[in-house]
Amino acid sequence: MRRSFPVAVAVLFAATSLAAQGGMGRGGRGTPIQPGEQCPPGMTEIRPRTCMAPEFAAPSIVDYRPRNTLKVTEHKVPKAKFPAVDYHAHVGQYLTAGQIDSLATYMDQLGLGAMVVADNISGDRLKTAVAVVQGSKIRDRVRILTGIRFQGVGTPGWADAAVKQLEADVAAGAVGVGEIGKGFGLSTRKADGTLLKIDDPELDPVWEAAGRLKIPVFIHTAEPQEFFQPIDYSNERWLELSLFNDRRNGPGTGRPAFEDLMTQRDNLFKKHPKTMFVAAHMGWHANDLGRLGAMFDAMPNVTAELGAVLYDIGRQPRAAHDFFIKYQDRILFGKDSFQPEEYPYYWRVFETKDDYFDYYRPYHAFWKLYGIDLPDEVLKKVYYKNALRITPQLPSAGFPK
């Protein structure tokens, strides 16, 4: 029997009223929500605007480890296709007479043609490290960056002494400056106790000296942008921030805002156009390649190193592929923490078009990676050609032309 139009309207009105009062969702299951509203805690959306809680106790984020059931061809890449320069090497523990041979073994296994040690060392420590390298079988494959001591900035004579030390370190074998650590801008203080800003004019003579000496400045500014946000369940780096309290820079910490640090950094790069700067970790813009591209366009004296941001590159394979093609002359390979078993993940992302494979540190990223399948000429530039171009003191023997 057909219902009349008024009866149908009455039935619809009654159902809508029930949903508004928190009744059952469509199909008799779940809790309805309004358009744009999120499900209550402990529930997930099972249909549009209908939420339900799981019957079983939900696992914690660290215990939920689902098996990957996707069956696709895999291409493991244990060794780089072309010899790579690791521009962000923290291998100080190997720079002793008893350990440097084991570093050589790792380099050969992984396909590393050279390493740039970025431990921010200077003076006698630098001379000692250079001597160890020069006495080893990889004397032509390891080079070392010097450091800048910011203690005393703002006192008379600081800049002159810093420039003099920089010149001495270059004469002793340093091929650049860095890695200038993330404390610069975040926590390093001047002699008067105020926070040392990245673009502080007291530092200008040092950056100008680096340009005069034709050595790059490798600088790590800030942390990922999410590290400056509230630590709640919408923060995609929640697990990492929960694990490591020294990475929390958000509200209530007294730290500068992320955008303030980016502004200071960009001011520094623009103020010294004759100095080559290398932005560590792709400037923390690997999640916003449009912003990094605009930065490259505006600042021809800047290149970017990609250590520890593979999780962002590998989750946007098409965008990353196109970006690496467009800016192939501005990107350097670097790894950061020296864990030999992690390098093959980089080779696989850069050299294959594999789908949906694991990242090496779950607390960095809970998502999977995809290969971006770079052409050989782009691989060569990212792996070694760009590093050799901006750092003339690097040895070029052993690298394909």
Side-chain angles (χ1 to χ4, degrees), residues 49-67:
R49 299 175 301 286
T50 303
C51 303
M52 181 182 287
E55 179 181 352
F56 306 130
S60 74
I61 190 173
V62 292
D63 293 329
Y64 186 57
R65 306 167 191 173
R67 291 184 297 275

PDB file of all heavy atoms in Angstrom, residues 49-67:
ATOM      1  N   ARG A  49      28.697   9.992   8.474  1.00  0.00           N
ATOM      2  CA  ARG A  49      28.001  10.553   9.638  1.00  0.00           C
ATOM      3  C   ARG A  49      27.455   9.499  10.591  1.00  0.00           C
ATOM      4  O   ARG A  49      26.515   9.733  11.336  1.00  0.00           O
ATOM      5  CB  ARG A  49      26.872  11.511   9.195  1.00  0.00           C
ATOM      6  CG  ARG A  49      27.375  12.704   8.385  1.00  0.00           C
ATOM      7  CD  ARG A  49      26.247  13.542   7.873  1.00  0.00           C
ATOM      8  NE  ARG A  49      25.315  12.802   7.020  1.00  0.00           N
ATOM      9  CZ  ARG A  49      25.573  12.426   5.772  1.00  0.00           C
ATOM     10  NH1 ARG A  49      26.753  12.725   5.211  1.00  0.00           N
ATOM     11  NH2 ARG A  49      24.682  11.767   5.069  1.00  0.00           N
ATOM     12  N   THR A  50      28.057   8.320  10.600  1.00  0.00           N
ATOM     13  CA  THR A  50      27.672   7.263  11.534  1.00  0.00           C
ATOM     14  C   THR A  50      28.921   6.658  12.158  1.00  0.00           C
ATOM     15  O   THR A  50      29.810   6.190  11.445  1.00  0.00           O
ATOM     16  CB  THR A  50      26.867   6.155  10.831  1.00  0.00           C
ATOM     17  OG1 THR A  50      25.717   6.740  10.216  1.00  0.00           O
ATOM     18  CG2 THR A  50      26.413   5.103  11.838  1.00  0.00           C
ATOM     19  N   CYS A  51      29.004   6.674  13.485  1.00  0.00           N
ATOM     20  CA  CYS A  51      30.192   6.213  14.208  1.00  0.00           C
ATOM     21  C   CYS A  51      29.867   4.958  15.014  1.00  0.00           C
ATOM     22  O   CYS A  51      28.723   4.732  15.429  1.00  0.00           O
ATOM     23  CB  CYS A  51      30.682   7.291  15.162  1.00  0.00           C
ATOM     24  SG  CYS A  51      31.060   8.868  14.355  1.00  0.00           S
ATOM     25  N   MET A  52      30.896   4.158  15.272  1.00  0.00           N
ATOM     26  CA  MET A  52      30.729   2.952  16.077  1.00  0.00           C
ATOM     27  C   MET A  52      32.018   2.657  16.830  1.00  0.00           C
ATOM     28  O   MET A  52      33.118   2.906  16.310  1.00  0.00           O
ATOM     29  CB  MET A  52      30.347   1.759  15.208  1.00  0.00           C
ATOM     30  CG  MET A  52      30.119   0.464  15.981  1.00  0.00           C
ATOM     31  SD  MET A  52      29.721  -0.934  14.916  1.00  0.00           S
ATOM     32  CE  MET A  52      28.043  -0.518  14.446  1.00  0.00           C
ATOM     33  N   ALA A  53      31.897   2.123  18.015  1.00  0.00           N
ATOM     34  CA  ALA A  53      33.048   1.676  18.797  1.00  0.00           C
ATOM     35  C   ALA A  53      33.338   0.211  18.480  1.00  0.00           C
ATOM     36  O   ALA A  53      32.414  -0.575  18.271  1.00  0.00           O
ATOM     37  CB  ALA A  53      32.767   1.836  20.282  1.00  0.00           C
ATOM     38  N   PRO A  54      34.620  -0.196  18.399  1.00  0.00           N
ATOM     39  CA  PRO A  54      34.931  -1.607  18.162  1.00  0.00           C
ATOM     40  C   PRO A  54      34.470  -2.475  19.325  1.00  0.00           C
ATOM     41  O   PRO A  54      34.436  -2.033  20.474  1.00  0.00           O
ATOM     42  CB  PRO A  54      36.457  -1.624  18.026  1.00  0.00           C
ATOM     43  CG  PRO A  54      36.920  -0.386  18.697  1.00  0.00           C
ATOM     44  CD  PRO A  54      35.834   0.629  18.533  1.00  0.00           C
ATOM     45  N   GLU A  55      34.114  -3.699  19.002  1.00  0.00           N
ATOM     46  CA  GLU A  55      33.666  -4.630  20.037  1.00  0.00           C
ATOM     47  C   GLU A  55      34.818  -5.055  20.942  1.00  0.00           C
ATOM     48  O   GLU A  55      34.649  -5.239  22.145  1.00  0.00           O
ATOM     49  CB  GLU A  55      33.025  -5.861  19.385  1.00  0.00           C
ATOM     50  CG  GLU A  55      32.532  -6.920  20.369  1.00  0.00           C
ATOM     51  CD  GLU A  55      31.934  -8.111  19.662  1.00  0.00           C
ATOM     52  OE1 GLU A  55      31.758  -8.067  18.428  1.00  0.00           O
ATOM     53  OE2 GLU A  55      31.645  -9.109  20.364  1.00  0.00           O
ATOM     54  N   PHE A  56      36.005  -5.241  20.325  1.00  0.00           N
ATOM     55  CA  PHE A  56      37.164  -5.673  21.097  1.00  0.00           C
ATOM     56  C   PHE A  56      37.927  -4.457  21.629  1.00  0.00           C
ATOM     57  O   PHE A  56      37.820  -3.356  21.094  1.00  0.00           O
ATOM     58  CB  PHE A  56      38.103  -6.517  20.229  1.00  0.00           C
ATOM     59  CG  PHE A  56      37.418  -7.675  19.563  1.00  0.00           C
ATOM     60  CD1 PHE A  56      37.559  -7.893  18.201  1.00  0.00           C
ATOM     61  CD2 PHE A  56      36.614  -8.546  20.298  1.00  0.00           C
ATOM     62  CE1 PHE A  56      36.929  -8.950  17.583  1.00  0.00           C
ATOM     63  CE2 PHE A  56      35.981  -9.614  19.682  1.00  0.00           C
ATOM     64  CZ  PHE A  56      36.134  -9.817  18.318  1.00  0.00           C
ATOM     65  N   ALA A  57      38.718  -4.684  22.652  1.00  0.00           N
ATOM     66  CA  ALA A  57      39.547  -3.609  23.203  1.00  0.00           C
ATOM     67  C   ALA A  57      40.529  -3.128  22.143  1.00  0.00           C
ATOM     68  O   ALA A  57      41.219  -3.931  21.508  1.00  0.00           O
ATOM     69  CB  ALA A  57      40.290  -4.100  24.433  1.00  0.00           C
ATOM     70  N   ALA A  58      40.603  -1.826  21.928  1.00  0.00           N
ATOM     71  CA  ALA A  58      41.478  -1.271  20.901  1.00  0.00           C
ATOM     72  C   ALA A  58      42.936  -1.356  21.346  1.00  0.00           C
ATOM     73  O   ALA A  58      43.256  -1.054  22.498  1.00  0.00           O
ATOM     74  CB  ALA A  58      41.098   0.176  20.621  1.00  0.00           C
ATOM     75  N   PRO A  59      43.854  -1.752  20.447  1.00  0.00           N
ATOM     76  CA  PRO A  59      45.277  -1.774  20.811  1.00  0.00           C
ATOM     77  C   PRO A  59      45.830  -0.368  20.891  1.00  0.00           C
ATOM     78  O   PRO A  59      45.258   0.574  20.342  1.00  0.00           O
ATOM     79  CB  PRO A  59      45.917  -2.548  19.647  1.00  0.00           C
ATOM     80  CG  PRO A  59      45.035  -2.225  18.475  1.00  0.00           C
ATOM     81  CD  PRO A  59      43.634  -2.129  19.042  1.00  0.00           C
ATOM     82  N   SER A  60      46.970  -0.219  21.551  1.00  0.00           N
ATOM     83  CA  SER A  60      47.644   1.080  21.551  1.00  0.00           C
ATOM     84  C   SER A  60      48.316   1.279  20.201  1.00  0.00           C
ATOM     85  O   SER A  60      48.490   0.340  19.410  1.00  0.00           O
ATOM     86  CB  SER A  60      48.695   1.131  22.670  1.00  0.00           C
ATOM     87  OG  SER A  60      49.808   0.338  22.313  1.00  0.00           O
ATOM     88  N   ILE A  61      48.731   2.490  19.940  1.00  0.00           N
ATOM     89  CA  ILE A  61      49.379   2.808  18.671  1.00  0.00           C
ATOM     90  C   ILE A  61      50.684   2.025  18.493  1.00  0.00           C
ATOM     91  O   ILE A  61      51.080   1.700  17.380  1.00  0.00           O
ATOM     92  CB  ILE A  61      49.628   4.326  18.563  1.00  0.00           C
ATOM     93  CG1 ILE A  61      50.069   4.705  17.146  1.00  0.00           C
ATOM     94  CG2 ILE A  61      50.651   4.796  19.589  1.00  0.00           C
ATOM     95  CD1 ILE A  61      50.157   6.198  16.927  1.00  0.00           C
ATOM     96  N   VAL A  62      51.343   1.677  19.588  1.00  0.00           N
ATOM     97  CA  VAL A  62      52.609   0.942  19.469  1.00  0.00           C
ATOM     98  C   VAL A  62      52.382  -0.562  19.314  1.00  0.00           C
ATOM     99  O   VAL A  62      53.281  -1.275  18.883  1.00  0.00           O
ATOM    100  CB  VAL A  62      53.530   1.211  20.681  1.00  0.00           C
ATOM    101  CG1 VAL A  62      54.004   2.635  20.681  1.00  0.00           C
ATOM    102  CG2 VAL A  62      52.836   0.883  21.990  1.00  0.00           C
ATOM    103  N   ASP A  63      51.194  -1.045  19.648  1.00  0.00           N
ATOM    104  CA  ASP A  63      50.924  -2.481  19.547  1.00  0.00           C
ATOM    105  C   ASP A  63      50.187  -2.871  18.273  1.00  0.00           C
ATOM    106  O   ASP A  63      50.105  -4.061  17.957  1.00  0.00           O
ATOM    107  CB  ASP A  63      50.090  -2.937  20.753  1.00  0.00           C
ATOM    108  CG  ASP A  63      50.855  -2.859  22.059  1.00  0.00           C
ATOM    109  OD1 ASP A  63      52.093  -3.034  22.013  1.00  0.00           O
ATOM    110  OD2 ASP A  63      50.243  -2.613  23.111  1.00  0.00           O
ATOM    111  N   TYR A  64      49.626  -1.914  17.559  1.00  0.00           N
ATOM    112  CA  TYR A  64      48.895  -2.242  16.335  1.00  0.00           C
ATOM    113  C   TYR A  64      49.885  -2.361  15.182  1.00  0.00           C
ATOM    114  O   TYR A  64      50.442  -1.368  14.710  1.00  0.00           O
ATOM    115  CB  TYR A  64      47.852  -1.178  16.027  1.00  0.00           C
ATOM    116  CG  TYR A  64      46.975  -1.547  14.844  1.00  0.00           C
ATOM    117  CD1 TYR A  64      46.243  -2.731  14.847  1.00  0.00           C
ATOM    118  CD2 TYR A  64      46.896  -0.710  13.735  1.00  0.00           C
ATOM    119  CE1 TYR A  64      45.444  -3.078  13.760  1.00  0.00           C
ATOM    120  CE2 TYR A  64      46.096  -1.050  12.649  1.00  0.00           C
ATOM    121  CZ  TYR A  64      45.377  -2.236  12.666  1.00  0.00           C
ATOM    122  OH  TYR A  64      44.590  -2.582  11.586  1.00  0.00           O
ATOM    123  N   ARG A  65      50.134  -3.596  14.744  1.00  0.00           N
ATOM    124  CA  ARG A  65      51.124  -3.874  13.704  1.00  0.00           C
ATOM    125  C   ARG A  65      50.514  -4.804  12.660  1.00  0.00           C
ATOM    126  O   ARG A  65      50.848  -5.996  12.589  1.00  0.00           O
ATOM    127  CB  ARG A  65      52.366  -4.517  14.321  1.00  0.00           C
ATOM    128  CG  ARG A  65      52.967  -3.699  15.466  1.00  0.00           C
ATOM    129  CD  ARG A  65      53.968  -4.471  16.262  1.00  0.00           C
ATOM    130  NE  ARG A  65      54.330  -3.768  17.500  1.00  0.00           N
ATOM    131  CZ  ARG A  65      55.083  -4.282  18.452  1.00  0.00           C
ATOM    132  NH1 ARG A  65      55.567  -5.517  18.329  1.00  0.00           N
ATOM    133  NH2 ARG A  65      55.356  -3.580  19.537  1.00  0.00           N
ATOM    134  N   PRO A  66      49.595  -4.318  11.857  1.00  0.00           N
ATOM    135  CA  PRO A  66      48.905  -5.184  10.898  1.00  0.00           C
ATOM    136  C   PRO A  66      49.856  -5.744   9.848  1.00  0.00           C
ATOM    137  O   PRO A  66      50.793  -5.066   9.404  1.00  0.00           O
ATOM    138  CB  PRO A  66      47.873  -4.252  10.275  1.00  0.00           C
ATOM    139  CG  PRO A  66      48.416  -2.878  10.458  1.00  0.00           C
ATOM    140  CD  PRO A  66      49.152  -2.912  11.759  1.00  0.00           C
ATOM    141  N   ARG A  67      49.604  -6.987   9.454  1.00  0.00           N
ATOM    142  CA  ARG A  67      50.377  -7.612   8.370  1.00  0.00           C
ATOM    143  C   ARG A  67      49.986  -6.974   7.042  1.00  0.00           C
ATOM    144  O   ARG A  67      48.819  -6.691   6.790  1.00  0.00           O
ATOM    145  CB  ARG A  67      50.101  -9.112   8.320  1.00  0.00           C
ATOM    146  CG  ARG A  67      50.650  -9.905   9.475  1.00  0.00           C
ATOM    147  CD  ARG A  67      50.410 -11.396   9.275  1.00  0.00           C
ATOM    148  NE  ARG A  67      48.981 -11.694   9.235  1.00  0.00           N
ATOM    149  CZ  ARG A  67      48.226 -11.890  10.316  1.00  0.00           C
ATOM    150  NH1 ARG A  67      48.769 -11.812  11.524  1.00  0.00           N
ATOM    151  NH2 ARG A  67      46.934 -12.143  10.193  1.00  0.00           N
TER     152      ARG A  67
END
